[in-house]
Amino acid sequence: MKIQKFGGTSVGSAARMKDVAKLVLDGEVKIVVLSAMSGTTNSLVEISNYLYKKNADGANEVISKLEAKYTQHIDELYSTQEYKDRGMELIRERFNYIKSFTNNVFTVFHEKEILSQGELISTGMFNLYLLECGVKSCLLPALDYMRIDKNNEPDTAYIRENLRALLEKNSGYEIYITQGYICRNSFGEVDNLQRGGSDYTASLIGAALLADEIQIWTDIDGMHNNDPRFVEGTKPVSELSFDEAAELAYFGAKILHPTCVLPAKVNNIPVRLLNTMDPKAPGTLISGHQCTNRVAAIAAKDNITALRIKSSRMLLAYGFMRKVFEIFESYKTPIDMITTSEVGVSVTIDNDRHLYDIIDDLKKYGTVEVDKDQCIICIAGDFAADKKGYAGKIFDALADVPVRMISYGGSSHNVSVLINASDKVTALRGLSAHLFN
Ligand code: ADP
Ligand code: ASP
Ligand code: MG
């Protein structure tokens, strides 16, 4: 079985939803994962922000605009009065639910309920459309099988067991539609897999069912060799290994959610990135196969903070690194990059929620310097130790950019450099010019 995930732009209007219906109806039984229609989750975040500030008028204004948009979508999507009525009933029910939060105390639990409405609406609308077209379509509620544990990690055993049971109970359909992004947490409350998490839903489903392939359909023809939002003339990469794709997704290639490669890699399920607007384009195939001796692609991760801990006592000392790492561990703050010298160690983090506590604790072991507004540039490819020339080309490309840290050799698939955020675009363009032209 194949899993096909369609992102926000792919289902962003009635016309797009009709195109997606044509794409999924190829005679094969499959699971279709949908995001919210584009812009919806952002509006739901905006509504929640107003409600945290007890600004019901602000929230109601955004709600009304969003509801008006959906009323129009319903009118355009269905051709029969029966389905227009059923569509409007769905919208009214969901929006009444959203409005029910505007007069009460507002907490993070309520926010998560609101954020889940986008995917509940898009899947409900799409399922009704397929039913109107006479397709045997079945809605699989993600809240009945998708679950994270107390560490916010997917509860894979629970997902596998409950999803399989749900499919068995609903056998005989042509298409199964389900919500991306939304899930329950270990308390059974509505939660989510973080922004962009519908990709993760698709790969968790693929892993649970040992699918033949996981397809991520989006608004571009695969993973490009550099970030198309900042660099002109980028090209799709036809093949990536799981490791290359994971590095790129983690280090900022927005086309893939950072964690979505792992479940596919563990179960050796190929992931294909495809373009809803150009379905015939080959896209990108992510698999266990590693193309050798090439730079695959470049990505950039923003909002990085660098910390340098200097200690004269590090000289010839053992145990220093452990003490430093334990401090980050105690604040559940992952380290992205690390470089060392005889007198100090530099690390980067992207979550600075506990930054000041971390600095206080680190000061026991030396002086601490902090640089905010940094950016990690990740160059992914095959850089096995016996391949010559890549480091030289990378440094040539960055000749005009001050480089704060370099990490090479941690894996043979990644070179990372840390620079000021203000130099990001220059660095990305320079790297494309030197590595691909
Ligand atoms: P979806 O809503 O379908 O999940 P996203 O907006 O999350 O789509 O991801 C697709 C977008 O990712 C593209 O439109 C593109 O702007 C951006 N992007 C960033 N880096 C890359 C890259 N290396 N290759 C392709 N797209 C990228
Ligand atoms: N709708 C969610 C978001 O906008 C999840 C997703 O699109 O993947 O973040
Ligand atoms: Mg996305």
Short mmCIF file of all heavy atoms in Angstrom, two decimals, residues 361-424:
data_model
loop_
_atom_site.label_atom_id
_atom_site.label_comp_id
_atom_site.label_asym_id
_atom_site.label_seq_id
_atom_site.Cartn_x
_atom_site.Cartn_y
_atom_site.Cartn_z
N ASP A 361 24.99 27.70 34.75
CA ASP A 361 25.60 26.42 35.13
C ASP A 361 26.97 26.25 34.47
O ASP A 361 27.91 25.75 35.09
CB ASP A 361 24.69 25.25 34.73
CG ASP A 361 23.48 25.15 35.64
OD1 ASP A 361 23.31 26.04 36.50
OD2 ASP A 361 22.69 24.19 35.48
N LEU A 362 27.09 26.70 33.20
CA LEU A 362 28.36 26.53 32.48
C LEU A 362 29.47 27.38 33.13
O LEU A 362 30.65 27.01 33.09
CB LEU A 362 28.21 26.93 31.00
CG LEU A 362 27.43 25.97 30.11
CD1 LEU A 362 27.20 26.61 28.74
CD2 LEU A 362 28.18 24.64 29.93
N LYS A 363 29.07 28.50 33.73
CA LYS A 363 30.07 29.42 34.30
C LYS A 363 30.89 28.76 35.42
O LYS A 363 31.97 29.25 35.75
CB LYS A 363 29.38 30.69 34.81
CG LYS A 363 29.13 31.69 33.70
CD LYS A 363 28.51 32.94 34.24
CE LYS A 363 28.29 33.95 33.12
NZ LYS A 363 27.32 34.98 33.51
N LYS A 364 30.39 27.65 35.98
CA LYS A 364 31.17 26.91 36.99
C LYS A 364 32.45 26.36 36.38
O LYS A 364 33.40 26.06 37.08
CB LYS A 364 30.34 25.73 37.51
CG LYS A 364 29.23 26.11 38.45
CD LYS A 364 28.52 24.83 38.92
CE LYS A 364 27.03 25.05 38.92
NZ LYS A 364 26.25 23.89 38.61
N TYR A 365 32.45 26.17 35.06
CA TYR A 365 33.58 25.48 34.42
C TYR A 365 34.44 26.40 33.56
O TYR A 365 35.40 25.96 32.95
CB TYR A 365 33.07 24.31 33.58
CG TYR A 365 32.29 23.34 34.40
CD1 TYR A 365 30.91 23.19 34.21
CD2 TYR A 365 32.90 22.60 35.41
CE1 TYR A 365 30.18 22.33 34.99
CE2 TYR A 365 32.18 21.74 36.20
CZ TYR A 365 30.82 21.61 35.99
OH TYR A 365 30.09 20.75 36.77
N GLY A 366 34.08 27.67 33.46
CA GLY A 366 34.91 28.55 32.64
C GLY A 366 34.14 29.80 32.25
O GLY A 366 33.02 30.04 32.73
N THR A 367 34.71 30.58 31.33
CA THR A 367 33.99 31.77 30.86
C THR A 367 33.08 31.36 29.71
O THR A 367 33.38 30.42 28.96
CB THR A 367 34.97 32.85 30.35
OG1 THR A 367 35.72 32.27 29.29
CG2 THR A 367 35.89 33.33 31.44
N VAL A 368 31.97 32.06 29.57
CA VAL A 368 30.99 31.70 28.54
C VAL A 368 30.71 32.91 27.65
O VAL A 368 30.41 33.99 28.15
CB VAL A 368 29.66 31.23 29.19
CG1 VAL A 368 28.68 30.78 28.12
CG2 VAL A 368 29.91 30.12 30.19
N GLU A 369 30.87 32.73 26.34
CA GLU A 369 30.50 33.79 25.39
C GLU A 369 29.29 33.31 24.60
O GLU A 369 29.22 32.14 24.22
CB GLU A 369 31.64 34.03 24.40
CG GLU A 369 32.85 34.70 24.99
CD GLU A 369 34.05 34.59 24.06
OE1 GLU A 369 33.85 34.45 22.83
OE2 GLU A 369 35.18 34.59 24.57
N VAL A 370 28.37 34.23 24.35
CA VAL A 370 27.14 33.84 23.64
C VAL A 370 26.97 34.70 22.38
O VAL A 370 27.12 35.91 22.44
CB VAL A 370 25.90 34.05 24.55
CG1 VAL A 370 24.63 33.66 23.83
CG2 VAL A 370 26.05 33.24 25.82
N ASP A 371 26.68 34.07 21.25
CA ASP A 371 26.33 34.80 20.02
C ASP A 371 24.95 34.37 19.58
O ASP A 371 24.73 33.20 19.29
CB ASP A 371 27.31 34.45 18.88
CG ASP A 371 28.67 35.06 19.11
OD1 ASP A 371 28.72 36.21 19.58
OD2 ASP A 371 29.67 34.38 18.86
N LYS A 372 24.03 35.34 19.53
CA LYS A 372 22.69 35.02 19.02
C LYS A 372 22.62 35.33 17.53
O LYS A 372 23.60 35.78 16.95
CB LYS A 372 21.66 35.84 19.77
CG LYS A 372 21.52 35.40 21.22
CD LYS A 372 20.24 35.94 21.80
CE LYS A 372 19.92 35.21 23.09
NZ LYS A 372 18.54 35.35 23.47
N ASP A 373 21.46 35.10 16.92
CA ASP A 373 21.23 35.40 15.50
C ASP A 373 22.28 34.76 14.59
O ASP A 373 22.83 35.40 13.71
CB ASP A 373 21.22 36.92 15.26
CG ASP A 373 20.07 37.56 15.99
OD1 ASP A 373 18.99 36.93 16.02
OD2 ASP A 373 20.24 38.66 16.55
N GLN A 374 22.53 33.49 14.83
CA GLN A 374 23.45 32.74 13.97
C GLN A 374 22.63 31.83 13.04
O GLN A 374 21.42 31.65 13.22
CB GLN A 374 24.39 31.89 14.83
CG GLN A 374 25.19 32.68 15.85
CD GLN A 374 26.27 33.51 15.19
OE1 GLN A 374 27.18 32.99 14.58
NE2 GLN A 374 26.14 34.83 15.31
N CYS A 375 23.33 31.27 12.07
CA CYS A 375 22.65 30.43 11.08
C CYS A 375 23.58 29.26 10.74
O CYS A 375 24.79 29.48 10.56
CB CYS A 375 22.38 31.31 9.87
SG CYS A 375 21.92 30.45 8.39
N ILE A 376 23.03 28.05 10.69
CA ILE A 376 23.85 26.91 10.28
C ILE A 376 23.60 26.64 8.81
O ILE A 376 22.44 26.52 8.39
CB ILE A 376 23.50 25.63 11.08
CG1 ILE A 376 23.85 25.80 12.55
CG2 ILE A 376 24.22 24.41 10.49
CD1 ILE A 376 23.45 24.63 13.42
N ILE A 377 24.66 26.58 8.03
CA ILE A 377 24.52 26.19 6.63
C ILE A 377 24.96 24.72 6.56
O ILE A 377 26.06 24.38 7.03
CB ILE A 377 25.44 27.03 5.71
CG1 ILE A 377 25.18 28.52 5.89
CG2 ILE A 377 25.30 26.57 4.25
CD1 ILE A 377 24.04 29.09 5.11
N CYS A 378 24.10 23.89 6.00
CA CYS A 378 24.40 22.46 5.91
C CYS A 378 24.63 22.10 4.44
O CYS A 378 23.80 22.42 3.59
CB CYS A 378 23.23 21.68 6.49
SG CYS A 378 23.10 20.00 5.90
N ILE A 379 25.76 21.48 4.16
CA ILE A 379 26.03 21.01 2.80
C ILE A 379 25.98 19.48 2.88
O ILE A 379 26.79 18.87 3.58
CB ILE A 379 27.41 21.50 2.31
CG1 ILE A 379 27.43 23.04 2.33
CG2 ILE A 379 27.72 21.01 0.90
CD1 ILE A 379 28.42 23.64 3.25
N ALA A 380 24.99 18.88 2.21
CA ALA A 380 24.81 17.43 2.31
C ALA A 380 25.28 16.77 1.03
O ALA A 380 25.11 17.31 -0.06
CB ALA A 380 23.34 17.09 2.57
N GLY A 381 25.87 15.60 1.16
CA GLY A 381 26.34 14.87 -0.01
C GLY A 381 27.16 13.68 0.44
O GLY A 381 27.00 13.20 1.56
N ASP A 382 28.02 13.20 -0.44
CA ASP A 382 28.90 12.09 -0.07
C ASP A 382 30.31 12.64 0.07
O ASP A 382 30.95 12.96 -0.92
CB ASP A 382 28.84 11.01 -1.16
CG ASP A 382 29.88 9.93 -0.88
OD1 ASP A 382 29.95 9.47 0.28
OD2 ASP A 382 30.63 9.57 -1.80
N PHE A 383 30.76 12.76 1.31
CA PHE A 383 32.08 13.34 1.57
C PHE A 383 32.96 12.34 2.29
O PHE A 383 33.51 12.62 3.35
CB PHE A 383 31.96 14.61 2.42
CG PHE A 383 30.98 15.61 1.90
CD1 PHE A 383 29.84 15.93 2.60
CD2 PHE A 383 31.19 16.23 0.68
CE1 PHE A 383 28.93 16.84 2.12
CE2 PHE A 383 30.28 17.15 0.19
CZ PHE A 383 29.15 17.46 0.91
N ALA A 384 33.04 11.13 1.77
CA ALA A 384 33.88 10.12 2.41
C ALA A 384 35.31 10.65 2.46
O ALA A 384 35.72 11.46 1.63
CB ALA A 384 33.80 8.82 1.63
N ALA A 385 36.07 10.16 3.47
CA ALA A 385 37.39 10.75 3.77
C ALA A 385 38.34 10.68 2.57
O ALA A 385 39.25 11.49 2.44
CB ALA A 385 37.99 10.04 4.96
N ASP A 386 38.10 9.70 1.66
CA ASP A 386 39.05 9.58 0.55
C ASP A 386 38.68 10.47 -0.64
O ASP A 386 39.35 10.45 -1.67
CB ASP A 386 39.12 8.10 0.09
CG ASP A 386 37.77 7.58 -0.35
OD1 ASP A 386 36.74 8.17 0.06
OD2 ASP A 386 37.72 6.59 -1.10
N LYS A 387 37.59 11.27 -0.52
CA LYS A 387 37.20 12.14 -1.63
C LYS A 387 37.88 13.49 -1.45
O LYS A 387 37.78 14.09 -0.37
CB LYS A 387 35.67 12.32 -1.67
CG LYS A 387 34.90 11.02 -1.66
CD LYS A 387 35.00 10.30 -2.98
CE LYS A 387 34.65 8.83 -2.93
NZ LYS A 387 33.53 8.45 -2.10
N LYS A 388 38.51 13.96 -2.51
CA LYS A 388 39.29 15.20 -2.38
C LYS A 388 38.53 16.41 -2.92
O LYS A 388 37.69 16.27 -3.79
CB LYS A 388 40.59 15.06 -3.19
CG LYS A 388 41.63 14.21 -2.48
CD LYS A 388 42.95 14.31 -3.20
CE LYS A 388 43.12 13.12 -4.13
NZ LYS A 388 44.35 13.08 -4.85
N GLY A 389 38.87 17.58 -2.41
CA GLY A 389 38.48 18.82 -3.08
C GLY A 389 37.25 19.51 -2.54
O GLY A 389 37.08 20.71 -2.79
N TYR A 390 36.36 18.80 -1.82
CA TYR A 390 35.11 19.45 -1.41
C TYR A 390 35.34 20.57 -0.40
O TYR A 390 34.77 21.64 -0.51
CB TYR A 390 34.12 18.43 -0.86
CG TYR A 390 33.58 17.54 -1.94
CD1 TYR A 390 33.83 16.18 -1.93
CD2 TYR A 390 32.86 18.08 -2.99
CE1 TYR A 390 33.36 15.37 -2.94
CE2 TYR A 390 32.38 17.27 -4.01
CZ TYR A 390 32.64 15.92 -3.99
OH TYR A 390 32.18 15.13 -4.99
N ALA A 391 36.20 20.29 0.59
CA ALA A 391 36.44 21.32 1.62
C ALA A 391 36.96 22.59 0.95
O ALA A 391 36.49 23.70 1.26
CB ALA A 391 37.43 20.80 2.65
N GLY A 392 37.88 22.44 0.00
CA GLY A 392 38.45 23.60 -0.68
C GLY A 392 37.38 24.41 -1.38
O GLY A 392 37.32 25.64 -1.27
N LYS A 393 36.50 23.71 -2.10
CA LYS A 393 35.44 24.42 -2.85
C LYS A 393 34.49 25.14 -1.89
O LYS A 393 34.06 26.26 -2.17
CB LYS A 393 34.62 23.40 -3.66
CG LYS A 393 35.26 23.03 -4.96
CD LYS A 393 34.23 22.27 -5.80
CE LYS A 393 34.90 21.66 -7.01
NZ LYS A 393 34.11 20.61 -7.62
N ILE A 394 34.18 24.48 -0.79
CA ILE A 394 33.25 25.09 0.17
C ILE A 394 33.88 26.37 0.75
O ILE A 394 33.24 27.41 0.83
CB ILE A 394 32.90 24.08 1.30
CG1 ILE A 394 32.03 22.96 0.70
CG2 ILE A 394 32.18 24.76 2.46
CD1 ILE A 394 31.81 21.76 1.60
N PHE A 395 35.17 26.29 1.11
CA PHE A 395 35.79 27.49 1.70
C PHE A 395 35.99 28.60 0.67
O PHE A 395 35.85 29.77 1.00
CB PHE A 395 37.09 27.12 2.42
CG PHE A 395 36.83 26.21 3.57
CD1 PHE A 395 37.56 25.05 3.76
CD2 PHE A 395 35.78 26.48 4.44
CE1 PHE A 395 37.26 24.19 4.81
CE2 PHE A 395 35.47 25.63 5.49
CZ PHE A 395 36.21 24.48 5.67
N ASP A 396 36.28 28.23 -0.56
CA ASP A 396 36.35 29.25 -1.62
C ASP A 396 35.02 29.99 -1.74
O ASP A 396 34.98 31.21 -1.87
CB ASP A 396 36.61 28.59 -2.98
CG ASP A 396 38.09 28.37 -3.20
OD1 ASP A 396 38.86 28.88 -2.36
OD2 ASP A 396 38.46 27.68 -4.17
N ALA A 397 33.93 29.20 -1.71
CA ALA A 397 32.60 29.80 -1.87
C ALA A 397 32.30 30.77 -0.74
O ALA A 397 31.53 31.72 -0.90
CB ALA A 397 31.54 28.71 -1.91
N LEU A 398 32.89 30.51 0.44
CA LEU A 398 32.58 31.34 1.61
C LEU A 398 33.68 32.37 1.89
O LEU A 398 33.76 32.91 3.00
CB LEU A 398 32.38 30.42 2.83
CG LEU A 398 31.19 29.46 2.73
CD1 LEU A 398 31.15 28.51 3.91
CD2 LEU A 398 29.87 30.22 2.63
N ALA A 399 34.49 32.64 0.86
CA ALA A 399 35.65 33.53 1.07
C ALA A 399 35.25 34.90 1.64
O ALA A 399 36.00 35.47 2.43
CB ALA A 399 36.40 33.71 -0.25
N ASP A 400 34.07 35.39 1.29
CA ASP A 400 33.68 36.73 1.75
C ASP A 400 32.75 36.71 2.97
O ASP A 400 32.14 37.71 3.31
CB ASP A 400 32.96 37.48 0.61
CG ASP A 400 33.91 37.69 -0.56
OD1 ASP A 400 35.12 37.88 -0.30
OD2 ASP A 400 33.45 37.61 -1.72
N VAL A 401 32.60 35.54 3.58
CA VAL A 401 31.65 35.42 4.70
C VAL A 401 32.43 35.05 5.97
O VAL A 401 33.16 34.05 5.96
CB VAL A 401 30.61 34.31 4.37
CG1 VAL A 401 29.71 34.05 5.56
CG2 VAL A 401 29.78 34.69 3.15
N PRO A 402 32.28 35.82 7.05
CA PRO A 402 32.94 35.41 8.30
C PRO A 402 32.35 34.10 8.83
O PRO A 402 31.13 34.00 9.00
CB PRO A 402 32.63 36.56 9.27
CG PRO A 402 32.05 37.65 8.45
CD PRO A 402 31.51 37.06 7.19
N VAL A 403 33.21 33.11 9.03
CA VAL A 403 32.74 31.78 9.48
C VAL A 403 33.07 31.64 10.97
O VAL A 403 34.19 31.85 11.39
CB VAL A 403 33.42 30.66 8.66
CG1 VAL A 403 33.06 29.30 9.23
CG2 VAL A 403 32.98 30.74 7.20
N ARG A 404 32.06 31.28 11.76
CA ARG A 404 32.20 31.21 13.22
C ARG A 404 32.58 29.79 13.69
O ARG A 404 33.37 29.61 14.60
CB ARG A 404 30.87 31.66 13.82
CG ARG A 404 30.60 31.38 15.24
CD ARG A 404 31.24 32.44 16.12
NE ARG A 404 30.71 32.38 17.48
CZ ARG A 404 30.97 31.42 18.35
NH1 ARG A 404 31.74 30.42 18.03
NH2 ARG A 404 30.45 31.46 19.57
N MET A 405 32.01 28.76 13.03
CA MET A 405 32.35 27.37 13.37
C MET A 405 32.28 26.53 12.10
O MET A 405 31.52 26.85 11.19
CB MET A 405 31.30 26.77 14.35
CG MET A 405 31.43 27.19 15.77
SD MET A 405 29.96 26.73 16.74
CE MET A 405 30.11 24.97 16.89
N ILE A 406 33.05 25.42 12.10
CA ILE A 406 32.99 24.47 10.97
C ILE A 406 32.91 23.08 11.55
O ILE A 406 33.64 22.75 12.49
CB ILE A 406 34.28 24.56 10.12
CG1 ILE A 406 34.47 25.95 9.54
CG2 ILE A 406 34.26 23.51 9.02
CD1 ILE A 406 35.89 26.20 9.08
N SER A 407 32.03 22.25 11.00
CA SER A 407 31.96 20.87 11.47
C SER A 407 32.02 19.94 10.25
O SER A 407 31.19 20.01 9.36
CB SER A 407 30.65 20.67 12.23
OG SER A 407 30.41 19.32 12.43
N TYR A 408 33.03 19.10 10.24
CA TYR A 408 33.28 18.24 9.08
C TYR A 408 33.76 16.91 9.63
O TYR A 408 34.65 16.88 10.48
CB TYR A 408 34.37 18.91 8.21
CG TYR A 408 34.69 18.26 6.87
CD1 TYR A 408 33.93 17.23 6.35
CD2 TYR A 408 35.78 18.70 6.13
CE1 TYR A 408 34.23 16.68 5.12
CE2 TYR A 408 36.09 18.15 4.90
CZ TYR A 408 35.30 17.12 4.41
OH TYR A 408 35.61 16.57 3.19
N GLY A 409 33.16 15.82 9.17
CA GLY A 409 33.66 14.52 9.63
C GLY A 409 32.77 13.85 10.65
O GLY A 409 32.97 12.70 11.00
N GLY A 410 31.76 14.56 11.16
CA GLY A 410 30.82 13.94 12.11
C GLY A 410 30.09 12.80 11.42
O GLY A 410 29.87 11.74 11.99
N SER A 411 29.72 13.00 10.18
CA SER A 411 29.25 11.91 9.34
C SER A 411 29.88 12.17 7.98
O SER A 411 30.41 13.24 7.74
CB SER A 411 27.72 11.92 9.22
OG SER A 411 27.32 12.81 8.20
N SER A 412 29.80 11.19 7.09
CA SER A 412 30.39 11.45 5.77
C SER A 412 29.38 12.09 4.82
O SER A 412 29.59 12.18 3.63
CB SER A 412 30.97 10.17 5.18
OG SER A 412 29.98 9.18 5.21
N HIS A 413 28.24 12.55 5.40
CA HIS A 413 27.18 13.11 4.55
C HIS A 413 26.95 14.58 4.77
O HIS A 413 26.00 15.14 4.23
CB HIS A 413 25.87 12.37 4.76
CG HIS A 413 26.01 10.92 4.59
ND1 HIS A 413 26.38 10.37 3.39
CD2 HIS A 413 25.91 9.90 5.46
CE1 HIS A 413 26.47 9.07 3.54
NE2 HIS A 413 26.20 8.76 4.78
N ASN A 414 27.74 15.22 5.62
CA ASN A 414 27.40 16.59 6.00
C ASN A 414 28.64 17.41 6.34
O ASN A 414 29.53 16.94 7.04
CB ASN A 414 26.46 16.49 7.23
CG ASN A 414 26.21 17.82 7.88
OD1 ASN A 414 27.12 18.62 8.07
ND2 ASN A 414 24.98 18.09 8.24
N VAL A 415 28.67 18.63 5.80
CA VAL A 415 29.61 19.64 6.29
C VAL A 415 28.72 20.78 6.77
O VAL A 415 27.81 21.19 6.05
CB VAL A 415 30.53 20.17 5.15
CG1 VAL A 415 31.47 21.24 5.69
CG2 VAL A 415 31.30 19.03 4.51
N SER A 416 28.96 21.26 8.01
CA SER A 416 28.15 22.37 8.51
C SER A 416 29.04 23.55 8.84
O SER A 416 30.14 23.36 9.37
CB SER A 416 27.40 21.99 9.78
OG SER A 416 26.57 20.90 9.53
N VAL A 417 28.55 24.74 8.54
CA VAL A 417 29.28 25.94 8.95
C VAL A 417 28.32 26.89 9.65
O VAL A 417 27.13 26.95 9.30
CB VAL A 417 29.95 26.67 7.76
CG1 VAL A 417 31.12 25.90 7.22
CG2 VAL A 417 28.97 26.97 6.65
N LEU A 418 28.83 27.58 10.65
CA LEU A 418 28.01 28.54 11.39
C LEU A 418 28.43 29.95 11.00
O LEU A 418 29.62 30.29 11.03
CB LEU A 418 28.22 28.34 12.90
CG LEU A 418 27.29 29.22 13.76
CD1 LEU A 418 25.88 28.66 13.76
CD2 LEU A 418 27.81 29.29 15.19
N ILE A 419 27.45 30.75 10.62
CA ILE A 419 27.73 32.12 10.19
C ILE A 419 26.69 33.06 10.82
O ILE A 419 25.70 32.59 11.40
CB ILE A 419 27.66 32.26 8.64
CG1 ILE A 419 26.27 31.85 8.14
CG2 ILE A 419 28.73 31.41 7.96
CD1 ILE A 419 26.03 32.13 6.67
N ASN A 420 26.90 34.36 10.68
CA ASN A 420 25.88 35.31 11.13
C ASN A 420 24.65 35.18 10.23
O ASN A 420 24.79 35.04 9.01
CB ASN A 420 26.39 36.76 11.00
CG ASN A 420 27.40 37.06 12.07
OD1 ASN A 420 27.24 36.67 13.23
ND2 ASN A 420 28.47 37.75 11.68
N ALA A 421 23.46 35.31 10.84
CA ALA A 421 22.23 35.19 10.06
C ALA A 421 22.22 36.21 8.90
O ALA A 421 21.71 35.92 7.82
CB ALA A 421 21.03 35.40 10.96
N SER A 422 22.84 37.36 9.12
CA SER A 422 22.80 38.40 8.09
C SER A 422 23.60 38.01 6.83
O SER A 422 23.43 38.61 5.78
CB SER A 422 23.33 39.72 8.65
OG SER A 422 24.60 39.50 9.21
N ASP A 423 24.47 36.99 6.95
CA ASP A 423 25.26 36.54 5.79
C ASP A 423 24.65 35.33 5.09
O ASP A 423 25.25 34.79 4.15
CB ASP A 423 26.69 36.17 6.25
CG ASP A 423 27.46 37.39 6.71
OD1 ASP A 423 27.30 38.46 6.07
OD2 ASP A 423 28.20 37.28 7.71
N LYS A 424 23.49 34.89 5.56
CA LYS A 424 22.93 33.63 5.04
C LYS A 424 22.74 33.62 3.52
O LYS A 424 23.19 32.70 2.84
CB LYS A 424 21.59 33.36 5.74
CG LYS A 424 20.76 32.26 5.11
CD LYS A 424 19.57 31.92 5.96
CE LYS A 424 18.29 32.06 5.19
NZ LYS A 424 17.12 31.58 5.94
#
